[in-house]
Amino acid sequence: VEDLGKENDAKGVFPLKERYFVFYSSEKDPEVVEVLVKESGILEVTVGGRQEEFTLLPLDSYRALILSSSGKTLEVLYQIREEVLEITLDGKTYTLEVWDEVKAYERTNRTKKKQVENILRVPMSGKVTTIFVAEGEEVEEGTPLLIVEAMKMENEFKSPKKGKVKKIFVQKGDVVEPGTPLVEIE
Amino acid sequence: MAKRGKIQKVLIANRGEIAVRIIRTLRELGIRTVAVYSQADKTSLHVRMADESYEIGPPPSRESYLHIEKILDVAKKARVDAIHPGYGFLSENPEFARAVTDEGLIFIGPPPHAIEAMGDKTVARNTVRKRGVPLVPGTLDPVSSPEEGKKIAEEIGFPVLIKASAGGGGKGMRKVDTPEEFPFHFASAKREALSAFGDDRVYIEKYISAPCHIEVQVFGDQYGDLIHLGERECSIQRRHQKIIEEAPSPFISEETRRKMGEAAVEAAKSVGYFSAGTVEFVVGPDENFYFLEMNTRIQVEHPVTEMVTGLDLITLQILVAEGEKLPYSQEEIQRNGWAVEVRVYAEDPEENFRPSPGKLIVFEPPSGPWIRNDIGVYEGFEIPPYYDPMIGKLIAWGNNRKIAIMRLIRALKEYKILGIRHNIPFLIQVLSHPEFQAGNFDTHFLEKYPFQKKEEKPPSLWVMGVASALKKKFSQENSLFSPGDKAPSSPWKIWGRKMMLREFSR
């Protein structure tokens, strides 16, 4: 496993251009970014025909300084959450997935599968305080399904589509973690 | 520091930024501090800062920060002289204030009877009305059933507001536009009121369109002397929750300012008030003002008043609680410049302001000239999901409104947070809005100009390029970015290994 990383090691050997696919939205195609490592660790990135050169200096595990050849200075905050790269640049936070060619293809297929998924999941931790519907009930798009209380606020979850409530995964009073399935609509 | 006054040790019955802010003043005065905390708050900043701290129960507020007996037990055990309730939680609970006094301790706040009179919003309306303070039309008593409420709402005329009798901060408040919606909102308001205040009584008020929400800070001593410290403009609200506050208000004339100040003092006097209090008014475009309610506690937004008056309101609260006379007369209160405050929330504006608890991996609040941070968290702290999503307040002072706003925007742009989602992009958007900067707004500002989400267009070249460069860094950890030195626990390396293993297992 250790050696795998060295396969692409470009340091001092030969310049190697790599292509990455940046997914920034679940609906849109990824953007293609080419990264070339030049001498003394300067990175040349090309996106849509535009090019920038910079060095990336890690400050600690979550902060890095970007010093561009044109003089532009940026600080980036970054974090990995599972397969997702979260970066903050210029005060804006982006959730991105960056993949190489092979994985980008898999990722695209996965997105297509996801669109037919009918399970509503809770995005934050909280407590289920009210459930408005029962299994077997017909709902419209936008019908309130349940309320999850987090940070003293009631967060109403509505049906993402018209259909029948196939399964309710939680009960009133349940404490839920991000990603917990709440309701399945078919 | 030399011992002073009657109060030498104080229990802070609160958490978060306000507990921290109170501890700071107590330290300045040489008073020892006692924190209480729930099981979810063991490593909270207020605990870290206090001289002593005691656990008072499980995470839910009702079993910890709202649990009177547990807090009093700690007060006795730690032998404190006084209790400061902060805002929220038990701060406006007259039984708590009374229980504290009955234990022979000093309650740093108003007298219990004043909390009671003002805390019951319906009693409050009746009381101040007798002093000639103008009122918004609505029920003078709590409403018990949805049927009764609906009937009353129809008499007053829709739209109406359902408000928690025990309320504040927009919790348990609902705007109702039609009779059909009434029962649903009524039940929802009662539920939220019960959860937030432990009291589900609600009342009904006419909904005033295009109003400004302006409040007056009052201060009184135990000898009947009462002054006001000027107003705060709090019209920028989202779902009745204040987001941005400033002092003074950009709308009102000196004449209205004087009248509102006098009315606020009258309202406070009507219940024999002392300590810090806030009289809230709705103000129409014609500068007519109506009493909304009185908050019988220190307010979240008190710093803007401190910034323009140069006073420390917590110090004043302590002096008054010790039985000192107010050290200033009305004439001595001077206002200087402008202060604007924003509330930083762990909420994702991109996702309809969904709460975003979690670990603050990076947390660097800004500083610089005339910037004040009142914060209850720190880098590495895991924000628990049980309490209010506000993580801190950022306040800027300027010698005029424009300078204060520009300074605040500058500071917000310097704020660095990673690990949770927050409302800073939203705050910058509001502060940068031409209508806000021109001072043309009312409480509907955010309905008129809601948060503009990031466009779904590709992020900039920089974002894409840096993200890809980071990806490259992870995949070639030790070769490119760490010349020679070893970074054994880099999350990139761990992630990289995980990803590679995953690839193998396919």
Side-chain angles (χ1 to χ4, degrees), chain A residues 64 66 72 74-77 86-94, chain B residues 460-467 470:
Chain A
I66 313 293
K72 188 178 174 71
L74 288 168
E75 193 176 320
V76 59
L77 310 178
E86 190 168 294
I87 74 169
T88 298
L89 203 70
D90 258 346
K92 290 196 185 74
T93 302
Y94 301 86
Chain B
S460 73
L461 165 103
W462 283 104
V463 174
M464 303 280 200
V466 169
L470 285 165

mmCIF file with all atom_site columns, all heavy atoms in Angstrom, chain A residues 64 66 72 74-77 86-94, chain B residues 460-467 470:
data_model
loop_
_atom_site.group_PDB
_atom_site.id
_atom_site.type_symbol
_atom_site.label_atom_id
_atom_site.label_alt_id
_atom_site.label_comp_id
_atom_site.label_asym_id
_atom_site.label_entity_id
_atom_site.label_seq_id
_atom_site.pdbx_PDB_ins_code
_atom_site.Cartn_x
_atom_site.Cartn_y
_atom_site.Cartn_z
_atom_site.occupancy
_atom_site.B_iso_or_equiv
_atom_site.pdbx_formal_charge
_atom_site.auth_seq_id
_atom_site.auth_comp_id
_atom_site.auth_asym_id
_atom_site.auth_atom_id
_atom_site.pdbx_PDB_model_num
ATOM 1   N N   . ALA A 1 64  ? -3.882  25.700 4.596   1.00 0.00 ? 64  ALA A N   1
ATOM 2   C CA  . ALA A 1 64  ? -2.744  25.792 3.684   1.00 0.00 ? 64  ALA A CA  1
ATOM 3   C C   . ALA A 1 64  ? -2.736  27.169 3.048   1.00 0.00 ? 64  ALA A C   1
ATOM 4   O O   . ALA A 1 64  ? -3.779  27.816 2.899   1.00 0.00 ? 64  ALA A O   1
ATOM 5   C CB  . ALA A 1 64  ? -2.829  24.712 2.619   1.00 0.00 ? 64  ALA A CB  1
ATOM 6   N N   . ILE A 1 66  ? -1.779  29.458 -0.239  1.00 0.00 ? 66  ILE A N   1
ATOM 7   C CA  . ILE A 1 66  ? -1.579  29.375 -1.680  1.00 0.00 ? 66  ILE A CA  1
ATOM 8   C C   . ILE A 1 66  ? -0.823  30.641 -2.099  1.00 0.00 ? 66  ILE A C   1
ATOM 9   O O   . ILE A 1 66  ? -1.327  31.746 -1.928  1.00 0.00 ? 66  ILE A O   1
ATOM 10  C CB  . ILE A 1 66  ? -2.936  29.372 -2.431  1.00 0.00 ? 66  ILE A CB  1
ATOM 11  C CG1 . ILE A 1 66  ? -3.938  28.398 -1.817  1.00 0.00 ? 66  ILE A CG1 1
ATOM 12  C CG2 . ILE A 1 66  ? -2.744  29.147 -3.920  1.00 0.00 ? 66  ILE A CG2 1
ATOM 13  C CD1 . ILE A 1 66  ? -3.578  26.967 -1.946  1.00 0.00 ? 66  ILE A CD1 1
ATOM 14  N N   . LYS A 1 72  ? -0.857  36.631 -6.201  1.00 0.00 ? 72  LYS A N   1
ATOM 15  C CA  . LYS A 1 72  ? -2.101  36.445 -5.450  1.00 0.00 ? 72  LYS A CA  1
ATOM 16  C C   . LYS A 1 72  ? -1.865  35.481 -4.287  1.00 0.00 ? 72  LYS A C   1
ATOM 17  O O   . LYS A 1 72  ? -1.247  34.437 -4.466  1.00 0.00 ? 72  LYS A O   1
ATOM 18  C CB  . LYS A 1 72  ? -3.173  35.890 -6.383  1.00 0.00 ? 72  LYS A CB  1
ATOM 19  C CG  . LYS A 1 72  ? -4.565  35.837 -5.784  1.00 0.00 ? 72  LYS A CG  1
ATOM 20  C CD  . LYS A 1 72  ? -5.557  35.313 -6.829  1.00 0.00 ? 72  LYS A CD  1
ATOM 21  C CE  . LYS A 1 72  ? -6.945  35.082 -6.273  1.00 0.00 ? 72  LYS A CE  1
ATOM 22  N NZ  . LYS A 1 72  ? -7.671  36.314 -5.949  1.00 0.00 ? 72  LYS A NZ  1
ATOM 23  N N   . LEU A 1 74  ? -3.727  33.374 -1.104  1.00 0.00 ? 74  LEU A N   1
ATOM 24  C CA  . LEU A 1 74  ? -5.002  32.874 -0.588  1.00 0.00 ? 74  LEU A CA  1
ATOM 25  C C   . LEU A 1 74  ? -4.737  31.896 0.541   1.00 0.00 ? 74  LEU A C   1
ATOM 26  O O   . LEU A 1 74  ? -3.730  31.192 0.525   1.00 0.00 ? 74  LEU A O   1
ATOM 27  C CB  . LEU A 1 74  ? -5.751  32.099 -1.684  1.00 0.00 ? 74  LEU A CB  1
ATOM 28  C CG  . LEU A 1 74  ? -6.373  32.853 -2.842  1.00 0.00 ? 74  LEU A CG  1
ATOM 29  C CD1 . LEU A 1 74  ? -6.782  31.858 -3.922  1.00 0.00 ? 74  LEU A CD1 1
ATOM 30  C CD2 . LEU A 1 74  ? -7.585  33.639 -2.373  1.00 0.00 ? 74  LEU A CD2 1
ATOM 31  N N   . GLU A 1 75  ? -5.657  31.886 1.501   1.00 0.00 ? 75  GLU A N   1
ATOM 32  C CA  . GLU A 1 75  ? -5.559  30.833 2.500   1.00 0.00 ? 75  GLU A CA  1
ATOM 33  C C   . GLU A 1 75  ? -6.709  29.873 2.285   1.00 0.00 ? 75  GLU A C   1
ATOM 34  O O   . GLU A 1 75  ? -7.844  30.291 2.084   1.00 0.00 ? 75  GLU A O   1
ATOM 35  C CB  . GLU A 1 75  ? -5.621  31.417 3.913   1.00 0.00 ? 75  GLU A CB  1
ATOM 36  C CG  . GLU A 1 75  ? -5.202  30.381 4.941   1.00 0.00 ? 75  GLU A CG  1
ATOM 37  C CD  . GLU A 1 75  ? -5.154  30.942 6.355   1.00 0.00 ? 75  GLU A CD  1
ATOM 38  O OE1 . GLU A 1 75  ? -4.696  32.086 6.524   1.00 0.00 ? 75  GLU A OE1 1
ATOM 39  O OE2 . GLU A 1 75  ? -5.596  30.232 7.262   1.00 0.00 ? 75  GLU A OE2 1
ATOM 40  N N   . VAL A 1 76  ? -6.426  28.601 2.312   1.00 0.00 ? 76  VAL A N   1
ATOM 41  C CA  . VAL A 1 76  ? -7.484  27.607 2.125   1.00 0.00 ? 76  VAL A CA  1
ATOM 42  C C   . VAL A 1 76  ? -7.607  26.769 3.395   1.00 0.00 ? 76  VAL A C   1
ATOM 43  O O   . VAL A 1 76  ? -6.614  26.405 4.020   1.00 0.00 ? 76  VAL A O   1
ATOM 44  C CB  . VAL A 1 76  ? -7.220  26.724 0.872   1.00 0.00 ? 76  VAL A CB  1
ATOM 45  C CG1 . VAL A 1 76  ? -5.906  25.987 0.967   1.00 0.00 ? 76  VAL A CG1 1
ATOM 46  C CG2 . VAL A 1 76  ? -8.349  25.726 0.652   1.00 0.00 ? 76  VAL A CG2 1
ATOM 47  N N   . LEU A 1 77  ? -8.861  26.540 3.791   1.00 0.00 ? 77  LEU A N   1
ATOM 48  C CA  . LEU A 1 77  ? -9.148  25.611 4.883   1.00 0.00 ? 77  LEU A CA  1
ATOM 49  C C   . LEU A 1 77  ? -9.708  24.360 4.229   1.00 0.00 ? 77  LEU A C   1
ATOM 50  O O   . LEU A 1 77  ? -10.512 24.458 3.310   1.00 0.00 ? 77  LEU A O   1
ATOM 51  C CB  . LEU A 1 77  ? -10.200 26.193 5.832   1.00 0.00 ? 77  LEU A CB  1
ATOM 52  C CG  . LEU A 1 77  ? -9.969  27.608 6.348   1.00 0.00 ? 77  LEU A CG  1
ATOM 53  C CD1 . LEU A 1 77  ? -11.143 28.037 7.234   1.00 0.00 ? 77  LEU A CD1 1
ATOM 54  C CD2 . LEU A 1 77  ? -8.673  27.694 7.122   1.00 0.00 ? 77  LEU A CD2 1
ATOM 55  N N   . GLU A 1 86  ? -14.039 19.235 1.641   1.00 0.00 ? 86  GLU A N   1
ATOM 56  C CA  . GLU A 1 86  ? -14.691 20.497 1.965   1.00 0.00 ? 86  GLU A CA  1
ATOM 57  C C   . GLU A 1 86  ? -13.606 21.554 2.011   1.00 0.00 ? 86  GLU A C   1
ATOM 58  O O   . GLU A 1 86  ? -12.645 21.413 2.754   1.00 0.00 ? 86  GLU A O   1
ATOM 59  C CB  . GLU A 1 86  ? -15.379 20.361 3.317   1.00 0.00 ? 86  GLU A CB  1
ATOM 60  C CG  . GLU A 1 86  ? -16.278 21.521 3.649   1.00 0.00 ? 86  GLU A CG  1
ATOM 61  C CD  . GLU A 1 86  ? -17.153 21.208 4.854   1.00 0.00 ? 86  GLU A CD  1
ATOM 62  O OE1 . GLU A 1 86  ? -18.005 20.312 4.731   1.00 0.00 ? 86  GLU A OE1 1
ATOM 63  O OE2 . GLU A 1 86  ? -16.956 21.844 5.893   1.00 0.00 ? 86  GLU A OE2 1
ATOM 64  N N   . ILE A 1 87  ? -13.736 22.593 1.197   1.00 0.00 ? 87  ILE A N   1
ATOM 65  C CA  . ILE A 1 87  ? -12.727 23.633 1.267   1.00 0.00 ? 87  ILE A CA  1
ATOM 66  C C   . ILE A 1 87  ? -13.366 25.010 1.424   1.00 0.00 ? 87  ILE A C   1
ATOM 67  O O   . ILE A 1 87  ? -14.460 25.267 0.941   1.00 0.00 ? 87  ILE A O   1
ATOM 68  C CB  . ILE A 1 87  ? -11.743 23.622 0.066   1.00 0.00 ? 87  ILE A CB  1
ATOM 69  C CG1 . ILE A 1 87  ? -12.398 24.145 -1.199  1.00 0.00 ? 87  ILE A CG1 1
ATOM 70  C CG2 . ILE A 1 87  ? -11.148 22.262 -0.167  1.00 0.00 ? 87  ILE A CG2 1
ATOM 71  C CD1 . ILE A 1 87  ? -11.363 24.381 -2.300  1.00 0.00 ? 87  ILE A CD1 1
ATOM 72  N N   . THR A 1 88  ? -12.674 25.849 2.151   1.00 0.00 ? 88  THR A N   1
ATOM 73  C CA  . THR A 1 88  ? -13.118 27.228 2.322   1.00 0.00 ? 88  THR A CA  1
ATOM 74  C C   . THR A 1 88  ? -12.051 28.116 1.719   1.00 0.00 ? 88  THR A C   1
ATOM 75  O O   . THR A 1 88  ? -10.877 28.023 2.072   1.00 0.00 ? 88  THR A O   1
ATOM 76  C CB  . THR A 1 88  ? -13.316 27.542 3.807   1.00 0.00 ? 88  THR A CB  1
ATOM 77  O OG1 . THR A 1 88  ? -14.330 26.684 4.307   1.00 0.00 ? 88  THR A OG1 1
ATOM 78  C CG2 . THR A 1 88  ? -13.773 28.972 4.003   1.00 0.00 ? 88  THR A CG2 1
ATOM 79  N N   . LEU A 1 89  ? -12.491 28.946 0.780   1.00 0.00 ? 89  LEU A N   1
ATOM 80  C CA  . LEU A 1 89  ? -11.567 29.820 0.068   1.00 0.00 ? 89  LEU A CA  1
ATOM 81  C C   . LEU A 1 89  ? -12.268 31.161 -0.088  1.00 0.00 ? 89  LEU A C   1
ATOM 82  O O   . LEU A 1 89  ? -13.427 31.195 -0.511  1.00 0.00 ? 89  LEU A O   1
ATOM 83  C CB  . LEU A 1 89  ? -11.271 29.195 -1.308  1.00 0.00 ? 89  LEU A CB  1
ATOM 84  C CG  . LEU A 1 89  ? -9.980  29.582 -2.006  1.00 0.00 ? 89  LEU A CG  1
ATOM 85  C CD1 . LEU A 1 89  ? -8.783  29.000 -1.291  1.00 0.00 ? 89  LEU A CD1 1
ATOM 86  C CD2 . LEU A 1 89  ? -10.004 29.073 -3.443  1.00 0.00 ? 89  LEU A CD2 1
ATOM 87  N N   . ASP A 1 90  ? -11.627 32.238 0.240   1.00 0.00 ? 90  ASP A N   1
ATOM 88  C CA  . ASP A 1 90  ? -12.225 33.565 0.094   1.00 0.00 ? 90  ASP A CA  1
ATOM 89  C C   . ASP A 1 90  ? -13.566 33.667 0.825   1.00 0.00 ? 90  ASP A C   1
ATOM 90  O O   . ASP A 1 90  ? -14.510 34.276 0.347   1.00 0.00 ? 90  ASP A O   1
ATOM 91  C CB  . ASP A 1 90  ? -12.447 33.884 -1.399  1.00 0.00 ? 90  ASP A CB  1
ATOM 92  C CG  . ASP A 1 90  ? -11.380 34.827 -1.914  1.00 0.00 ? 90  ASP A CG  1
ATOM 93  O OD1 . ASP A 1 90  ? -10.660 35.414 -1.088  1.00 0.00 ? 90  ASP A OD1 1
ATOM 94  O OD2 . ASP A 1 90  ? -11.266 34.971 -3.150  1.00 0.00 ? 90  ASP A OD2 1
ATOM 95  N N   . GLY A 1 91  ? -13.659 33.035 1.966   1.00 0.00 ? 91  GLY A N   1
ATOM 96  C CA  . GLY A 1 91  ? -14.873 33.146 2.781   1.00 0.00 ? 91  GLY A CA  1
ATOM 97  C C   . GLY A 1 91  ? -16.014 32.259 2.343   1.00 0.00 ? 91  GLY A C   1
ATOM 98  O O   . GLY A 1 91  ? -17.068 32.263 2.966   1.00 0.00 ? 91  GLY A O   1
ATOM 99  N N   . LYS A 1 92  ? -15.852 31.527 1.252   1.00 0.00 ? 92  LYS A N   1
ATOM 100 C CA  . LYS A 1 92  ? -16.939 30.648 0.812   1.00 0.00 ? 92  LYS A CA  1
ATOM 101 C C   . LYS A 1 92  ? -16.519 29.201 1.017   1.00 0.00 ? 92  LYS A C   1
ATOM 102 O O   . LYS A 1 92  ? -15.368 28.843 0.816   1.00 0.00 ? 92  LYS A O   1
ATOM 103 C CB  . LYS A 1 92  ? -17.259 30.879 -0.660  1.00 0.00 ? 92  LYS A CB  1
ATOM 104 C CG  . LYS A 1 92  ? -17.924 32.223 -0.916  1.00 0.00 ? 92  LYS A CG  1
ATOM 105 C CD  . LYS A 1 92  ? -18.562 32.227 -2.305  1.00 0.00 ? 92  LYS A CD  1
ATOM 106 C CE  . LYS A 1 92  ? -19.122 33.583 -2.657  1.00 0.00 ? 92  LYS A CE  1
ATOM 107 N NZ  . LYS A 1 92  ? -18.056 34.562 -2.993  1.00 0.00 ? 92  LYS A NZ  1
ATOM 108 N N   . THR A 1 93  ? -17.505 28.389 1.413   1.00 0.00 ? 93  THR A N   1
ATOM 109 C CA  . THR A 1 93  ? -17.212 26.984 1.633   1.00 0.00 ? 93  THR A CA  1
ATOM 110 C C   . THR A 1 93  ? -17.786 26.162 0.494   1.00 0.00 ? 93  THR A C   1
ATOM 111 O O   . THR A 1 93  ? -18.924 26.378 0.081   1.00 0.00 ? 93  THR A O   1
ATOM 112 C CB  . THR A 1 93  ? -17.792 26.526 2.980   1.00 0.00 ? 93  THR A CB  1
ATOM 113 O OG1 . THR A 1 93  ? -17.231 27.343 3.993   1.00 0.00 ? 93  THR A OG1 1
ATOM 114 C CG2 . THR A 1 93  ? -17.453 25.080 3.271   1.00 0.00 ? 93  THR A CG2 1
ATOM 115 N N   . TYR A 1 94  ? -17.004 25.272 -0.012  1.00 0.00 ? 94  TYR A N   1
ATOM 116 C CA  . TYR A 1 94  ? -17.436 24.414 -1.111  1.00 0.00 ? 94  TYR A CA  1
ATOM 117 C C   . TYR A 1 94  ? -17.308 22.967 -0.694  1.00 0.00 ? 94  TYR A C   1
ATOM 118 O O   . TYR A 1 94  ? -16.339 22.583 -0.048  1.00 0.00 ? 94  TYR A O   1
ATOM 119 C CB  . TYR A 1 94  ? -16.552 24.629 -2.345  1.00 0.00 ? 94  TYR A CB  1
ATOM 120 C CG  . TYR A 1 94  ? -16.557 26.050 -2.839  1.00 0.00 ? 94  TYR A CG  1
ATOM 121 C CD1 . TYR A 1 94  ? -15.676 26.983 -2.294  1.00 0.00 ? 94  TYR A CD1 1
ATOM 122 C CD2 . TYR A 1 94  ? -17.450 26.461 -3.819  1.00 0.00 ? 94  TYR A CD2 1
ATOM 123 C CE1 . TYR A 1 94  ? -15.689 28.299 -2.731  1.00 0.00 ? 94  TYR A CE1 1
ATOM 124 C CE2 . TYR A 1 94  ? -17.466 27.769 -4.262  1.00 0.00 ? 94  TYR A CE2 1
ATOM 125 C CZ  . TYR A 1 94  ? -16.581 28.685 -3.714  1.00 0.00 ? 94  TYR A CZ  1
ATOM 126 O OH  . TYR A 1 94  ? -16.596 29.972 -4.140  1.00 0.00 ? 94  TYR A OH  1
ATOM 127 N N   . SER B 2 460 ? -14.788 28.988 -9.020  1.00 0.00 ? 460 SER B N   1
ATOM 128 C CA  . SER B 2 460 ? -13.707 29.637 -9.746  1.00 0.00 ? 460 SER B CA  1
ATOM 129 C C   . SER B 2 460 ? -12.552 28.675 -10.033 1.00 0.00 ? 460 SER B C   1
ATOM 130 O O   . SER B 2 460 ? -12.432 27.615 -9.420  1.00 0.00 ? 460 SER B O   1
ATOM 131 C CB  . SER B 2 460 ? -13.184 30.815 -8.930  1.00 0.00 ? 460 SER B CB  1
ATOM 132 O OG  . SER B 2 460 ? -12.437 30.327 -7.831  1.00 0.00 ? 460 SER B OG  1
ATOM 133 N N   . LEU B 2 461 ? -11.727 29.103 -10.934 1.00 0.00 ? 461 LEU B N   1
ATOM 134 C CA  . LEU B 2 461 ? -10.513 28.373 -11.262 1.00 0.00 ? 461 LEU B CA  1
ATOM 135 C C   . LEU B 2 461 ? -9.700  28.070 -10.013 1.00 0.00 ? 461 LEU B C   1
ATOM 136 O O   . LEU B 2 461 ? -9.133  26.991 -9.856  1.00 0.00 ? 461 LEU B O   1
ATOM 137 C CB  . LEU B 2 461 ? -9.689  29.215 -12.249 1.00 0.00 ? 461 LEU B CB  1
ATOM 138 C CG  . LEU B 2 461 ? -8.240  28.814 -12.464 1.00 0.00 ? 461 LEU B CG  1
ATOM 139 C CD1 . LEU B 2 461 ? -8.095  28.082 -13.771 1.00 0.00 ? 461 LEU B CD1 1
ATOM 140 C CD2 . LEU B 2 461 ? -7.324  30.003 -12.436 1.00 0.00 ? 461 LEU B CD2 1
ATOM 141 N N   . TRP B 2 462 ? -9.689  29.042 -9.120  1.00 0.00 ? 462 TRP B N   1
ATOM 142 C CA  . TRP B 2 462 ? -8.904  28.865 -7.900  1.00 0.00 ? 462 TRP B CA  1
ATOM 143 C C   . TRP B 2 462 ? -9.436  27.727 -7.058  1.00 0.00 ? 462 TRP B C   1
ATOM 144 O O   . TRP B 2 462 ? -8.690  26.885 -6.572  1.00 0.00 ? 462 TRP B O   1
ATOM 145 C CB  . TRP B 2 462 ? -8.890  30.160 -7.093  1.00 0.00 ? 462 TRP B CB  1
ATOM 146 C CG  . TRP B 2 462 ? -7.952  31.141 -7.702  1.00 0.00 ? 462 TRP B CG  1
ATOM 147 C CD1 . TRP B 2 462 ? -8.278  32.236 -8.438  1.00 0.00 ? 462 TRP B CD1 1
ATOM 148 C CD2 . TRP B 2 462 ? -6.521  31.070 -7.674  1.00 0.00 ? 462 TRP B CD2 1
ATOM 149 N NE1 . TRP B 2 462 ? -7.150  32.860 -8.872  1.00 0.00 ? 462 TRP B NE1 1
ATOM 150 C CE2 . TRP B 2 462 ? -6.055  32.173 -8.415  1.00 0.00 ? 462 TRP B CE2 1
ATOM 151 C CE3 . TRP B 2 462 ? -5.603  30.189 -7.120  1.00 0.00 ? 462 TRP B CE3 1
ATOM 152 C CZ2 . TRP B 2 462 ? -4.704  32.423 -8.604  1.00 0.00 ? 462 TRP B CZ2 1
ATOM 153 C CZ3 . TRP B 2 462 ? -4.257  30.432 -7.297  1.00 0.00 ? 462 TRP B CZ3 1
ATOM 154 C CH2 . TRP B 2 462 ? -3.811  31.542 -8.039  1.00 0.00 ? 462 TRP B CH2 1
ATOM 155 N N   . VAL B 2 463 ? -10.765 27.701 -6.892  1.00 0.00 ? 463 VAL B N   1
ATOM 156 C CA  . VAL B 2 463 ? -11.380 26.647 -6.077  1.00 0.00 ? 463 VAL B CA  1
ATOM 157 C C   . VAL B 2 463 ? -11.080 25.282 -6.678  1.00 0.00 ? 463 VAL B C   1
ATOM 158 O O   . VAL B 2 463 ? -10.627 24.354 -5.997  1.00 0.00 ? 463 VAL B O   1
ATOM 159 C CB  . VAL B 2 463 ? -12.902 26.883 -5.965  1.00 0.00 ? 463 VAL B CB  1
ATOM 160 C CG1 . VAL B 2 463 ? -13.572 25.722 -5.247  1.00 0.00 ? 463 VAL B CG1 1
ATOM 161 C CG2 . VAL B 2 463 ? -13.180 28.197 -5.247  1.00 0.00 ? 463 VAL B CG2 1
ATOM 162 N N   . MET B 2 464 ? -11.298 25.177 -7.979  1.00 0.00 ? 464 MET B N   1
ATOM 163 C CA  . MET B 2 464 ? -11.070 23.907 -8.677  1.00 0.00 ? 464 MET B CA  1
ATOM 164 C C   . MET B 2 464 ? -9.594  23.504 -8.612  1.00 0.00 ? 464 MET B C   1
ATOM 165 O O   . MET B 2 464 ? -9.260  22.351 -8.362  1.00 0.00 ? 464 MET B O   1
ATOM 166 C CB  . MET B 2 464 ? -11.427 24.051 -10.164 1.00 0.00 ? 464 MET B CB  1
ATOM 167 C CG  . MET B 2 464 ? -12.822 24.500 -10.394 1.00 0.00 ? 464 MET B CG  1
ATOM 168 S SD  . MET B 2 464 ? -13.933 23.110 -10.226 1.00 0.00 ? 464 MET B SD  1
ATOM 169 C CE  . MET B 2 464 ? -15.308 23.782 -11.113 1.00 0.00 ? 464 MET B CE  1
ATOM 170 N N   . GLY B 2 465 ? -8.760  24.487 -8.910  1.00 0.00 ? 465 GLY B N   1
ATOM 171 C CA  . GLY B 2 465 ? -7.326  24.213 -8.966  1.00 0.00 ? 465 GLY B CA  1
ATOM 172 C C   . GLY B 2 465 ? -6.784  23.809 -7.614  1.00 0.00 ? 465 GLY B C   1
ATOM 173 O O   . GLY B 2 465 ? -6.029  22.838 -7.492  1.00 0.00 ? 465 GLY B O   1
ATOM 174 N N   . VAL B 2 466 ? -7.188  24.544 -6.580  1.00 0.00 ? 466 VAL B N   1
ATOM 175 C CA  . VAL B 2 466 ? -6.691  24.252 -5.240  1.00 0.00 ? 466 VAL B CA  1
ATOM 176 C C   . VAL B 2 466 ? -7.208  22.894 -4.767  1.00 0.00 ? 466 VAL B C   1
ATOM 177 O O   . VAL B 2 466 ? -6.474  22.103 -4.177  1.00 0.00 ? 466 VAL B O   1
ATOM 178 C CB  . VAL B 2 466 ? -7.072  25.388 -4.262  1.00 0.00 ? 466 VAL B CB  1
ATOM 179 C CG1 . VAL B 2 466 ? -6.794  24.983 -2.822  1.00 0.00 ? 466 VAL B CG1 1
ATOM 180 C CG2 . VAL B 2 466 ? -6.323  26.665 -4.617  1.00 0.00 ? 466 VAL B CG2 1
ATOM 181 N N   . ALA B 2 467 ? -8.486  22.616 -5.073  1.00 0.00 ? 467 ALA B N   1
ATOM 182 C CA  . ALA B 2 467 ? -9.049  21.321 -4.671  1.00 0.00 ? 467 ALA B CA  1
ATOM 183 C C   . ALA B 2 467 ? -8.265  20.183 -5.322  1.00 0.00 ? 467 ALA B C   1
ATOM 184 O O   . ALA B 2 467 ? -7.921  19.194 -4.670  1.00 0.00 ? 467 ALA B O   1
ATOM 185 C CB  . ALA B 2 467 ? -10.525 21.254 -5.064  1.00 0.00 ? 467 ALA B CB  1
ATOM 186 N N   . LEU B 2 470 ? -4.887  19.838 -3.752  1.00 0.00 ? 470 LEU B N   1
ATOM 187 C CA  . LEU B 2 470 ? -4.989  19.169 -2.450  1.00 0.00 ? 470 LEU B CA  1
ATOM 188 C C   . LEU B 2 470 ? -5.129  17.663 -2.639  1.00 0.00 ? 470 LEU B C   1
ATOM 189 O O   . LEU B 2 470 ? -4.550  16.865 -1.905  1.00 0.00 ? 470 LEU B O   1
ATOM 190 C CB  . LEU B 2 470 ? -6.175  19.728 -1.655  1.00 0.00 ? 470 LEU B CB  1
ATOM 191 C CG  . LEU B 2 470 ? -5.969  21.127 -1.051  1.00 0.00 ? 470 LEU B CG  1
ATOM 192 C CD1 . LEU B 2 470 ? -7.299  21.724 -0.617  1.00 0.00 ? 470 LEU B CD1 1
ATOM 193 C CD2 . LEU B 2 470 ? -4.998  21.085 0.127   1.00 0.00 ? 470 LEU B CD2 1
#
